[in-house]
Amino acid sequence: MSCRRIIRLASSMLLMVAFGCSSEPRDAAIDPAADAAPSGPPAWILASLVQPRGLVKSDPGAGDEYLLFSQLTSDTEYLIDRAGRVVHSWKGEYATGSSYLMDNGDLLRGVRMAEPPNFRAGGVGGYLQRLSWDGEVLWHWQLGDEQRMAHHDIEPLPNGNVLVLAWERISPEQAAAAGRRPELTNQQGLWSDWIAEVEPLAPNDARIVWEWHVWDHLVQNHDPQAPNHGDPTAHPHRLDVNADASAPTIDEEELARLKALGYMPADATIQDAGSDYLHANSLDYHAGLDQILVSLPEIGEIWIIDHSTTTAQARSSAGGRSGRGGDLLYRWGNPQNYGRGNVESKQLFYQHQVEWVPEGFPGAGNITLFNNGSGRPDGDWSSIVELTPPLEKDGSYPLAAGEPWGPAAPSWRYLAEERGNFFAPFISGVRKLETGHLLVCSGPQGRFFEVTPQREIVWEYLNPFHGEVPGWNPPGTEDVPYGSFRAIPVPPDHPGLAGRRLAPLDPQPTPYVPPPRSAPE
């Protein structure tokens, strides 16, 4: 289900939360029928208000990694130990997105403009920064203007460069010329995703050394006179430019409620919500394969592309290790997008944080992701997914004629015994640990937990922090106040922690408690 549909689900009861609805115990069973009843907010919203916050559970066998995270509307990033104590923090002037602790202890991060030009949507960024351990800004670079905008995720590369996920504006005329159905494009046009590899040039510049653009790899069967006309079934390595045709639209009331979640800028418009047709939200890089993994939640797919190309090859269908240029090497999650499946074939529902399992970890080379689960045919519930892609030794992904890419099903899943007890309609993430356990961020609730391969939760923490960065705190943000984009595990032997003082801060940062609400008269 698209971000537009999520707004309906997530916000239809949000105002009720603002008028003092109390939450039932967090571990209580949830009746799906009651969850949808008009007498109270959905269970996932109630879970986002649970008090008190902090460490909930720590069993023998839980990991010893630190956790790096920030709250959606905060200018502060926290590093906590497994006792739930803050041992370090970085404070800036912007709300943050994805962050990475570098081997020298610097913090690489994407941060969000308070008033982004033209691109106003969930996940908007605009700036990249590198901070020292002590918080000094070592590098600050803007990739955000009226024509292009960094958003959601970045990925540090072994050579010191950084992969950046970005939007570029496509005018209505350009969209129509590419075979886009006119009724699917509003007067503002489209925001199409592209990926840049940038070489940081401190203190305030960067050089783009490689690019890949979705718009270079389209197919369409709408306009025989437009480029790339063909049957999407016969061109599975390309995106059908009309693949999002079934995505619903939103109204002003729904847009206002999504802003209140702290997920979209206060000045976002209906046009903005309709332009973000793919909403790519996650990047990962596999050095051994020299490939990039990207998540496209609006169409329920993950893609793998070749990074070994030149920029010229990346615009074509030839070159690189794969010989396919910038065409898709692999896609999974919704084969109806390329005519090799149907509604029942769809397996991904607004997924986040798609990553390869690192070398040396159990299941190395597998792919993990947080499957948010909004709009499933059997109801809304989240799951953690690990899948084994059909990788050949030469780095290719075989595809039988007329068939979708495998696997037919994930190799492992985690979901709550009562499915409705675990649901996060947006943001969120997961990362595998060296033990084989998985560290999960259920984003809207600010809930972080560690789950074993046997599906046992051995550690759990509720983010107690909230922030008030200008531009990201419209009325109502305090009603779901603890949301976190991701929580990143940092092993104690991480080079960036060597020689650092990691004693709990004294005093600890003050937890946030939402103000009491009065019922409407």
Side-chain angles (χ1 to χ4, degrees), residues 168-184:
E168 59 183 342
R169 291 191 69 194
I170 304 294
S171 71
E173 294 76 19
Q174 290 173 315
R180 174 83 167 175
R181 287 164 45 184
E183 70 272 19
L184 300 180

Side-chain angles (χ1 to χ4, degrees), residues 23-31 43-44 46-48 50-52 55-59 414 416-422 445 447-449 457-462:
S23 88
E24 53 191 49
R26 186 171 48 81
D27 293 329
I30 296 173
D31 179 350
W44 75 265
L46 294 178
S48 72
V50 166
Q51 297 289 334
L55 186 65
V56 173
K57 183 176 187 176
S58 183
D59 289 352
Y414 167 80
E417 185 173 344
E418 295 288 338
R419 293 183 178 184
N421 280 352
F422 177 38
Q445 302 88 359
R447 178 193 176 206
F448 314 145
F449 65 93
I457 293 177
V458 294
W459 185 87
E460 186 171 353
Y461 172 87
L462 300 178

Side-chain angles (χ1 to χ4, degrees), residues 11 44 86 163 182 236 291 299 347 351 401 411 421 426 486 510:
S11 63
W44 75 265
V86 178
L163 290 178
Q291 294 175 1
I299 59 173
Q347 301 200 52
Q351 72 286 343
S411 51
N421 280 352
F426 64 108
R486 288 180 183 169
T510 303

Side-chain angles (χ1 to χ4, degrees), residues 395-468:
S396 65
Y397 301 85
L399 178 64
E403 296 294 321
W405 271 282
S411 51
W412 185 89
R413 282 198 317 175
Y414 167 80
L415 55 151
E417 185 173 344
E418 295 288 338
R419 293 183 178 184
N421 280 352
F422 177 38
F423 177 51
F426 64 108
I427 53 177
S428 310
V430 60
R431 178 168 290 180
K432 202 165 199 182
L433 306 177
E434 195 168 3
T435 59
H437 296 190
L438 294 102
L439 195 288
V440 179
C441 168
S442 189
Q445 302 88 359
R447 178 193 176 206
F448 314 145
F449 65 93
E450 180 181 341
V451 61
T452 70
Q454 293 73 39
R455 300 171 179 82
E456 177 187 2
I457 293 177
V458 294
W459 185 87
E460 186 171 353
Y461 172 87
L462 300 178
N463 166 37
F465 305 121
H466 178 64
E468 297 184 355

